[in-house]
Amino acid sequence: MNGLLGLALSHAWHARVRSSLIVVSVAIAAFIPLATAIVASSLEAALLRRADSTSLVIGGQGGRIDLVLAALYFRPSRTKSITTGDWMQLDADFPGKLVPLNVQHSAGGAPVVATPPDYLDARGFAIKQGTRATLVGEATPGRNAAERHGLSPGDGINSDQAASLDIAAPASIRLRITGVLAATGTPDDDAIFTDLKTAWVLAGLSHGHADAATAIPPPLLLDRTGERVVVSEAFVEDNEVTASNADSLHLHADETTLPLTAVLGLSLDDRERTLLRSRINAAGRLQAVEPGEVVREIMGHVARFTRAANVIAMAVTALTGLLVGMILTMSAKARSRELLTLERLGASRGQVAMLLAIEAVALTAMGMALAAAAGLALWLHPPDLVKLL
Amino acid sequence: MIELHDVRFAYPGSGGFALHVPALTVSPGERVALIGPSGSGKSTLLLLAGGVLLPHSGSVRVAGDDMTSLAASRRRSLRLRRIGMVFQEFELLDYLTVRDNIALAGRLDASIDRRTLASEAERLATAAGVAALLDRKPAALSQGERQRVAACRALATRPAALLCDEPTGNLDPSNADIVTRLLLDHARDHRAALLMSTHRHESLDVFDRVVDIASFRLRGGGR
């Protein structure tokens, strides 16, 4: 058997192009269903891990999935905003149990998550470096966001402008980094955390500037009629909140109408969750959803994709089997003279058949091993599919 | 010793061709040349002597064993261990090195000591002048070198019978002499019975005996 194994492997190595074709074909056929299963399971685990740590998500009307993906995974949302007024009412009934969140902005492509310190406490964040952001204009990135942009305490990062060609859009604001959060293995690692008021500065609802009456140089002051002041376009607003201009920050909106993406119920018990959910959904203006239910809905969609992928994988497997069978048959035909010589020298027909079978099995096993290795790599480093949702 | 007695054989559907060998004996150490025109049945006779083909009647004995009464597995084992075969087209395995080609029998029969076979391969390669080529593949060898390697493969198990089918048919005279000498010397030194078909009538005098296949009774064409 060892002798035949050596012969089979020698031939497989000699016919490297043909062998590689077989190995790669088998690997692809085996990898497709394996990868589908790994990716689906990894996606489910990632979604459930996050969903299980949040009792309830409250947001404006719109898609349930959109709301949960925005509130838990910081994905862009098309749901309507809820307001600080809504949040204040809810907080009055469930003090200390609900955390507001604004994820409408980004900086360097990373979501800017504006939330009170309660969020970081409830999620059990640790600071890896520096201190938490506490003032308007300060930011604390998660580990991945900090690594991606090379951020450390004392650095800064500019917020992204949603419409760079719109001159009426709020200007980019430079966020000062006060610290970096320790890794958590969750979407928080990819976010940049700030205070809620910072989100409103980024939205242009709150800003600071010098007193037009006293600090604007006369050449830049074009017109003044009572309270109305017209300044030159050469006058530049502050684009960073600093100790010297922090006092000049002021809102251009009612404090109860400021936008929030969602309000999270992070530490509600079953009774509180049921009560809050039924009350909000009965009122109809807002919606309250349990993330676990939404994740199961997402996994229902994923399962349909998985089933489709498995059908494709079966077709690929059948075609691969046909291809490998044809290659091996043609190979055996091309080797007929060699096989006849082996028989003349003393090999039995069984040995000759075994020689061909060993080579086929060995190449198939190599293909399976290659698929398993690729599957293991995928399992150890699964793609972040939540970002694609 | 190789002994064929009253052997009759015909290929199925051969249109009446038949080979009849009343008696042919090659003693240990004897070197016998088998001559005859192409298609006269020399190859068939060698395959019968090697137990690759079985006669319809008669007996074929090699090294004391009656090939016609042995089970297929025993016949196969005998061919691997006690019979050396050399073919006109060399029939080397192109994916094995010269070393592995010579020691091929060890891969097909686990009871053959592969270490002994390996050292025998080196000794034979040296004797055949191909020692420097042991780690090369057949594709890198000349025709003459390939046939020398094929001869070494046939001799590696120190067979009691050597059956050679036109081993010099594709070689230039110089290489033909080398291969013939290698086989003849082995037969003499190890008392092996050598039966070699050949067209090289000019070098028949190196054999102990020459048998013309035409002396056997044939019908129809031949192979």
Side-chain angles (χ1 to χ4, degrees), chain A residues 337-338 343-344 346 351, chain B residues 76 79 89 91 95 108:
Chain A
R337 190 179 175 126
E338 169 211 331
E343 283 189 45
R344 285 185 172 181
Q351 278 183 305
Chain B
R76 179 182 69 79
R79 213 156 54 232
E89 297 292 338
E91 311 298 355
Y95 52 89
L108 301 174

Side-chain angles (χ1 to χ4, degrees), chain A residues 75 79 95 112 118 160 182 190 197 235 289 294 326 329 337 367 372:
Chain A
R75 307 301 307 144
T79 56
V112 172
D118 303 1
D160 298 330
D190 296 303
K197 288 175 185 167
F235 175 71
V289 296
V294 173
M326 277 172 61
T329 305
R337 190 179 175 126

Side-chain angles (χ1 to χ4, degrees), chain A residues 1-8 10-11 13-14 335 337-338 341-348 351 355, chain B residues 47 52 76-77 79-80 83 85 87 89 91 93-96 100 104 106-110 114 137 153:
Chain A
M1 182 69 178
N2 280 347
L4 289 179
L5 179 65
L7 277 183
S10 294
H11 183 266
W13 178 247
H14 180 73
R335 295 174 67 186
R337 190 179 175 126
E338 169 211 331
T341 300
L342 285 174
E343 283 189 45
R344 285 185 172 181
L345 291 177
S348 66
Q351 278 183 305
L355 181 66
Chain B
L47 292 176
V52 177
R76 179 182 69 79
S77 175
R79 213 156 54 232
L80 265 176
I83 299 173
M85 296 184 88
F87 309 98
E89 297 292 338
E91 311 298 355
L93 273 56
D94 54 4
Y95 52 89
L96 295 183
D100 290 339
L104 180 63
R107 304 254 193 173
L108 301 174
D109 188 337
R114 289 170 76 169
K137 297 274 179 68
R153 178 179 66 189

Side-chain angles (χ1 to χ4, degrees), chain A residues 221-262:
Chain A
L221 191 58
L222 303 181
D223 185 33
R224 174 183 290 172
T225 311
E227 288 290 303
R228 185 167 172 275
V229 176
V230 179
V231 297
S232 161
E233 60 188 6
F235 175 71
V236 178
E237 275 191 81
D238 296 329
N239 72 342
E240 183 173 355
V241 182
T242 63
S244 61
N245 65 16
D247 289 342
S248 73
L249 280 178
H250 54 276
L251 275 170
H252 282 260
D254 181 346
E255 276 190 12
T256 61
T257 60
L258 297 170
L260 294 171
T261 303

Side-chain angles (χ1 to χ4, degrees), chain A residues 318-335:
Chain A
L319 283 173
T320 304
L322 199 64
L323 175 73
V324 170
M326 277 172 61
I327 293 173
L328 289 173
T329 305
M330 285 165 64
S331 172
K333 233 171 193 174
R335 295 174 67 186

Side-chain angles (χ1 to χ4, degrees), chain B residues 85-129:
Chain B
M85 296 184 88
V86 186
F87 309 98
Q88 183 175 356
E89 297 292 338
F90 328 133
E91 311 298 355
L92 296 175
L93 273 56
D94 54 4
Y95 52 89
L96 295 183
T97 61
V98 165
R99 185 191 306 277
D100 290 339
N101 262 294
I102 296 174
L104 180 63
R107 304 254 193 173
L108 301 174
D109 188 337
S111 68
I112 297 175
D113 181 32
R114 289 170 76 169
R115 199 170 296 177
T116 308
L117 207 54
S119 63
E120 185 66 5
E122 292 204 9
R123 190 190 69 76
L124 285 165
T126 304

